């Protein structure tokens, strides 16, 4: 500490002397007066002394560790954790209501497990340093580890949820809830089942979660990879360009059609006639009536894939109707989803408060948060791991918890809502000195009876401090003891809000608190 | 698959031919018979043919991805997760009962944040690959990130718990619950308080958790770094050897005194007289009577540090007595704890079923699990991060959840205890074909009423399959519908266990199930 101060002063003095010398030199030049070398010499002598002092002090101390979390990550404060846990509870309750089990997998996988699963996004995977042994990477999502788990354990069917952090070396946009370390909440159904039944349940789940979180209107966009494939086929896209054209279409939520068209023609060498045909289709969206219309589109249904996809979409919307969620579901032919592994239905939920506006010719600017859930069917992924390529069809959904959390946090801040970060029911307090042991004894009684209790860690805390602590932490009661209470065999129970004080016989304290806290929480 | 088999056969044949050729060559040499070149030539011809075949088959196929989790890690199955969540609940309930908030920090930190905090153990830190940008490491514990958090946010006091995974490139011993990726459950109290009050609460917490988990007898060993320092001082250990001698003492839980003594003298250059003096002290353990005895030890109390430590220990045991946990606390002078950052009280909880026996002269063999919780006071760690070195005294405890979990798992396996992995209350079923939509409709009604319900994803599932599914997943009720039920406006509610069937008016179904499930769970 003393050393650091000396260094700071020294640096400051040296800079000052340098300035002084410069001023003298410049001044003497302007005056055409060269007979002032003494002043300069004096300054130089001062500098020499300072440099000598510097040498005596030794090396400049190394600066303190940079105090920050890694780029794109953050800490969660107790208040943020309380909000986050509230959101998690809504999600987990929903998953459990639908009969899901839960599993956990390691945060890193063998590098080869992730290889070839994410297409262009593979460059965003975090690798661990080779410290001898296996080559490892941090998981990029929960879907690939799930598929690895299913294949490794030779599971034929499972309905599981998994809530855990995933890692992407993406450009963080933290104000919009986009981080390099973020939670995913995944629900997946694996198994050979009849068409669209599990798929519709996934949509029902997204609906229930967004509805329960009360974040305003939302729409669940749905599409089908087979419809996209069929559409490309009839528009004359060569088969080897399906995937790359698909990833151009995927940009339509952030880019305008004219730019996507340009990319298809200029970058991907697509025939402009094909591109324009695609353009007509991908701008369509609607519900069952659009499916019916397309099923009558003679050009489109020439493709077996498109026909199959449309029949599936018809069934899906029918089940969504039974589940009471049809009015939130929009069949949107521009929805493509980035990942390679989808093979059937794909979906994405968007909050309607988060619409897109045109900001410049290149891109749409997103107001708010946008996509908050997404998923689809991936029937081939498990087979990529399984010993004999044995396929286990899967469909699932991932809830974008960080974005939901950002919205909830902003909402609570706007509403000035108090968030409790502790659940303490009673603060054991005393106004008198030398009551520490008595406070500890009483607190022990409460803990052992299952009551959430705290005490001040000071031997002789001030009563005012204890009152203020209880108020700040929203602890509903104080159990106050002093000489008189001990003599009378009572505890003074003080209601933090009303400041009402009641003497309660020590033997009745636990039951009284339990009763009061129970009625309080109703 | 067919290709792989050909390759396997080919490799086998080539190896065989090579062996045959060698045998012939060796045999002909021994027989001094050089007239057998034909046989060798025949073999060579066979080999040539095989090599030709190999060329025709093209490149050897790359083997399938290795299906495993990284070394020292594991997946958690739904059953294991159910057990794990049960253990977590006991721990979190206890932390909340003591008024703790919770925080979260990223899984990786800047490498420099972890540097210089773990002494010799630093070699066990996982580094991330340098992919441009910051140098990162996976967290090694939750204590250093907590200290970083406290310093970064200029927090003067906080009582928080943090449950998260940490990473150590240690030699895994998975059967004993030692992994490279494992959960830590930490509870810490930061702030300037009166002596030993928060320290005693940490011990009370360890007691409550181990008591509630019902894992048998346990003992909480306690010691004090100042007592150790004072002991080294009066035994004539040079000050610069305090730390290294301390880490020798730390081995006493796994190694016998004679070996530790040898290490001190031979490896660390300690005077044998000093070592023997240390040996007398570190084999002592007891309770308040030992503290009193040592406070009268004229040699020991010459050290100011030892005296201060002993006074602290006296107070701690006194508070432990008030908290009703004194009989489980053992003042053990051999307890040293590995980490550098402890400055005061240190403790470690050991399950008594897990005693140590002598297996050979070099080490004690651990039966079972051993240490299940540990911690201590670290008053200097936050200051290592704080801008002006501002100290925030801390004391905390870490629960070794993986070990507890291993014990619980083994216990449940032994007891053949059923672990439910889903919470489903009702399976919506039908014995008749073409009832899918009706089943979906009924299931939707239940979900919307908050009832945990499932349906078969088959369009026309067999009744027997539905019964068996409910039995296997321990789902207490089936809600069965068919033509007759729809006509009568009822649902047949079947009790999975008793197989009793009751027709319930559709309008009363939700309330009936809620009532039955509620009374069932009591």
């Amino acid at each position: 500490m003393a050393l650091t101060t000396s260094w700071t002063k020294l640096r400051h003095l040296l800079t000052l002397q340098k300035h002084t010398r410069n001023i003298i030199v410049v001044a003497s030049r302007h005056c055409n007066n060269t007979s002032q070398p003494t002043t300069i010499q004096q300054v130089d002598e001062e500098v020499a002394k300072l440099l000598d002092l510097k040498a005596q002090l030794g090396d400049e101390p190394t600066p303190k560790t940079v105090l920050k979390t890694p780029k794109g990550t953050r800490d969660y404060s107790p208040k943020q954790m309380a909000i986050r846990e509230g959101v998690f509870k809504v999600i987990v309750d929903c998953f459990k209501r639908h009969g899901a089990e839960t599993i956990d997998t390691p945060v890193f996988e063998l590098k080869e497990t992730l290889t070839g699963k994410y297409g262009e996004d593979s460059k965003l995977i975090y690798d661990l340093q080779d410290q001898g042994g296996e080559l490892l990477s941090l998981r990029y999502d929960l879907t690939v580890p799930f598929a690895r788990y299913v294949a490794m354990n030779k599971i034929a069917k499972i309905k599981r949820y998994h809530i855990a952090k995933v890692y992407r070396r993406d450009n963080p946009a933290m104000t919009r809830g986009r981080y390099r370390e973020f939670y995913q909440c995944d629900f997946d159904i694996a198994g050979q089942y009849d068409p669209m039944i599990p798929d519709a349940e996934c949509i029902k789940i997204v609906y229930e979660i967004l509805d329960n979180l009360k974040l305003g209107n939302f729409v669940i966009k749905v599409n089908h990879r087979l419809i996209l494939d069929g559409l490309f086929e009839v528009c004359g896209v060569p088969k080897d360009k399906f995937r790359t054209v698909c990833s151009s279409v995927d940009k339509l939520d952030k880019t305008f059609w004219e730019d996507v068209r340009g990319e298809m023609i200029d970058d991907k060498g697509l025939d402009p006639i094909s591109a324009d045909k695609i353009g007509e289709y991908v701008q369509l969206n609607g519900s069952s009536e659009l499916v019916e219309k397309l099923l009558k589109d003679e050009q489109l249904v020439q493709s077996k894939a498109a026909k199959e996809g449309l029949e599936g979409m018809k069934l899906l919307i029918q089940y969504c109707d039974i589940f009471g969620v049809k009015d939130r579901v929009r069949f949107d032919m521009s929805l493509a989803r980035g990942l390679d592994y989808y093979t059937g239905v794909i979906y994405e939920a968007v909050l309607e408060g988060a619409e897109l506006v045109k900001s410049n010719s290149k891109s749409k600017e997103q107001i708010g948060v946008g996509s908050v859930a997404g998923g689809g069917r991936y029937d081939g992924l498990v087979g990529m791991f399984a010993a004999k390529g044995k396929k286990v069809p899967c469909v699932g959904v991932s809830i974008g918890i960080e974005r939901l959390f950002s919205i909830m946090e902003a909402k609570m801040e706007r509403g000035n809502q108090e968030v409790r970060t502790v659940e303490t029911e009673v603060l054991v307090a005393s106004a008198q000195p030398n009551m520490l042991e008595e406070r500890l004894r009483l607190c022990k009684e409460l803990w052992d009876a299952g009551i959430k209790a705290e005490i001040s860690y000071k031997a002789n805390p001030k009563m005012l401090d204890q009152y203020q602590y209880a108020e700040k932490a929203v602890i509903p009661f104080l159990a106050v003891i002093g000489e008189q209470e001990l003599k009378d065999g009572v505890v003074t129970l003080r209601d933090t809000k009303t400041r009402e004080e009641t003497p309660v016989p020590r033997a009745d304290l636990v039951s009284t608190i339990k009763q009061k806290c129970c009625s309080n929480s109703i």
Side-chain angles (χ1 to χ4, degrees), chain A:
Chain A
M1 182 58 196
L3 196 67
T4 312
T5 314
S6 316
W7 266 105
T8 314
K9 273 189 192 159
L10 189 61
R11 265 201 310 266
H12 185 67
L13 281 174
L14 274 165
T15 314
L16 213 71
Q17 294 287 14
K18 219 166 144 187
H19 279 289
T20 315
R21 193 183 193 281
N22 282 346
I23 290 165
I24 297 168
V25 170
V26 171
S28 62
R29 276 193 205 135
H30 275 270
C31 303
N32 274 333
N33 183 347
T34 49
S35 68
Q36 300 258 344
T38 353
T39 328
I40 293 172
Q41 200 183 328
Q42 277 168 357
V43 174
D44 285 348
E45 274 164 20
E46 284 296 312
V47 171
K49 274 186 207 157
L50 287 170
L51 286 172
D52 193 46
L53 185 63
K54 194 177 164 185
Q56 281 172 36
L57 276 170
D59 281 337
E60 194 157 0
T62 47
K64 276 262 172 190
T65 308
V66 185
L67 264 184
K68 66 184 286 291
T69 61
K71 186 180 176 189
T73 68
R74 61 168 161 178
D75 295 320
Y76 276 81
S77 71
K79 204 170 154 182
Q80 290 170 318
M81 284 298 279
I83 298 172
R84 188 174 101 176
E85 288 185 352
V87 179
F88 276 159
K89 190 177 171 348
V90 168
I91 293 171
V92 170
D93 282 353
C94 178
F95 292 161
K96 286 188 173 172
R97 197 160 53 241
H98 288 260
E101 313 177 286
T102 188
I103 67 159
D104 195 16
T105 64
V107 79
F108 42 64
E109 294 277 343
L110 297 184
K111 190 176 163 62
E112 62 180 294
T113 300
L114 306 190
T115 303
K117 308 297 184 303
Y118 301 107
E120 287 177 15
D121 286 349
S122 297
K123 63 179 185 296
L124 303 181
I125 294 173
Y126 277 98
D127 291 328
L128 266 73
Q129 198 178 298
D130 181 2
Q131 293 170 289
E134 300 161 330
L135 293 180
L136 307 172
S137 301
L138 296 187
R139 64 182 161 213
Y140 181 85
D141 64 8
L142 302 177
T143 311
V144 168
F146 173 59
R148 195 262 308 141
Y149 176 85
V150 170
M152 193 170 127
N153 294 286
K154 298 186 179 61
I155 292 167
K157 52 188 174 187
I158 185 172
K159 177 158 61 177
R160 80 89 182 81
Y161 70 90
H162 188 187
I163 297 183
K165 286 174 174 178
V166 301
Y167 299 86
R168 298 182 184 180
R169 295 182 57 256
D170 214 336
N171 271 331
M174 285 149 66
T175 50
R176 291 212 300 267
R178 206 168 78 192
Y179 293 86
R180 288 183 159 196
E181 174 190 59
F182 58 99
Y183 265 99
Q184 281 200 336
C185 300
D186 280 22
F187 172 95
D188 293 80
I189 301 170
Q192 187 70 56
Y193 296 120
D194 282 316
M196 293 299 162
I197 312 175
D199 313 59
E201 187 172 3
C202 288
I203 292 175
K204 170 75 171 149
I205 280 173
V206 173
Y207 179 97
E208 284 182 16
I209 289 169
L210 295 181
D211 195 51
N212 285 343
L213 288 174
K214 297 187 194 359
L215 299 169
N217 281 345
F218 59 88
V219 61
I220 305 168
K221 300 183 202 173
V222 295
N223 199 4
H224 199 298
R225 277 279 166 98
L226 286 182
I227 298 178
L228 282 170
D229 284 354
L231 184 164
F232 296 147
E233 190 186 325
V234 302
C235 293
V237 178
K239 195 144 194 170
D240 61 333
K241 284 189 179 156
F242 276 19
R243 192 159 290 177
T244 183
V245 170
C246 189
S247 72
S248 293
V249 171
D250 188 46
K251 293 177 186 161
L252 275 172
D253 61 335
K254 293 196 194 74
T255 324
F256 289 94
W257 167 246
E258 51 264 45
D259 302 308
V260 170
R261 182 181 180 273
E263 180 181 299
M264 283 178 177
I265 297 165
D266 303 335
D267 303 350
K268 307 199 165 164
L270 199 67
D271 182 345
I273 296 169
S274 288
D276 290 337
K277 270 184 166 177
I278 293 172
E280 275 169 38
Y281 282 114
V282 295
Q283 298 190 50
L284 298 175
N285 66 70
S287 187
S288 24
E289 82 297 337
L290 177 60
V291 180
E292 292 302 339
K293 196 184 124 195
L294 291 172
L295 275 170
K296 287 179 197 126
D297 179 330
E298 279 176 23
Q299 185 189 265
L300 192 59
V301 293
Q302 276 171 11
S303 151
K304 212 185 131 204
K307 195 153 184 287
E308 198 187 324
L310 286 165
E311 295 290 358
M313 190 55 70
K314 190 176 161 179
L315 201 59
L316 181 72
I317 295 176
Q318 188 184 324
Y319 293 157
C320 285
D321 194 17
I322 294 174
F323 282 160
V325 302
K326 189 188 166 189
D327 56 331
R328 298 284 191 174
V329 169
R330 188 166 69 204
F331 170 33
D332 184 329
M333 294 186 74
S334 75
L335 180 71
R337 304 276 302 159
L339 294 173
D340 283 356
Y341 51 60
Y342 291 119
T343 55
V345 165
I346 44 179
Y347 35 73
E348 197 167 287
V350 183
L351 290 187
E352 287 203 322
E355 276 307 309
L356 302 171
V357 290
K358 189 162 185 160
S359 71
N360 58 46
S361 68
K362 274 284 160 234
S363 71
K364 303 175 184 178
E365 192 177 301
Q366 202 165 299
I367 301 179
V369 173
S371 164
V372 289
R377 176 164 284 283
Y378 50 101
D379 288 347
L381 192 57
V382 174
M384 289 174 77
F385 292 106
K388 290 169 188 173
K390 194 174 173 293
K391 282 188 180 179
V392 181
C394 295
V395 64
V397 63
S398 185
I399 309 291
I401 175 83
E402 302 293 343
R403 296 182 169 197
L404 294 177
F405 168 73
S406 291
I407 300 167
M408 288 295 278
E409 202 180 14
K411 198 178 150 190
M412 296 194 110
E413 213 130 289
R414 273 200 309 275
N416 258 329
Q417 275 176 275
E418 227 9 279
V419 186
R420 265 203 95 181
T421 58
V422 293
E423 297 180 5
T424 313
E425 295 159 324
V426 183
L427 180 70
V428 174
S430 181
Q432 291 160 8
N434 305 319
M435 292 298 286
L436 172 61
E437 294 200 3
E438 290 301 336
R439 282 191 292 125
L440 293 176
R441 210 178 312 277
L442 180 55
C443 205
K444 185 247 178 204
E445 283 175 33
L446 298 179
W447 284 333
D448 289 355
I451 287 173
K452 294 165 188 153
E454 285 186 70
I455 36 163
S456 162
Y457 297 126
K458 300 269 182 192
N460 294 304
K462 287 181 196 145
M463 198 65 218
L464 188 63
D465 290 346
Q466 296 171 86
Y467 285 156
Q468 285 176 343
Y469 180 78
E471 268 177 38
K472 204 174 156 240
V474 203
I475 300 172
F477 299 101
L478 276 92
V480 186
I481 42 169
E483 296 292 350
Q484 196 56 47
E485 278 90 352
L486 288 175
K487 209 177 288 169
D488 299 349
V490 297
V491 171
T492 301
L493 200 61
R494 179 186 161 106
D495 187 306
T496 308
K497 214 183 269 175
T498 65
R499 300 186 180 183
E500 199 181 323
E501 295 189 344
T502 327
V504 177
R506 181 105 172 208
D508 301 343
L509 185 63
V510 167
S511 60
T512 308
I513 293 170
K514 280 194 176 167
Q515 207 178 357
K516 280 178 184 273
C517 281
C518 201
S519 66
N520 250 28
S521 69
I522 285 166

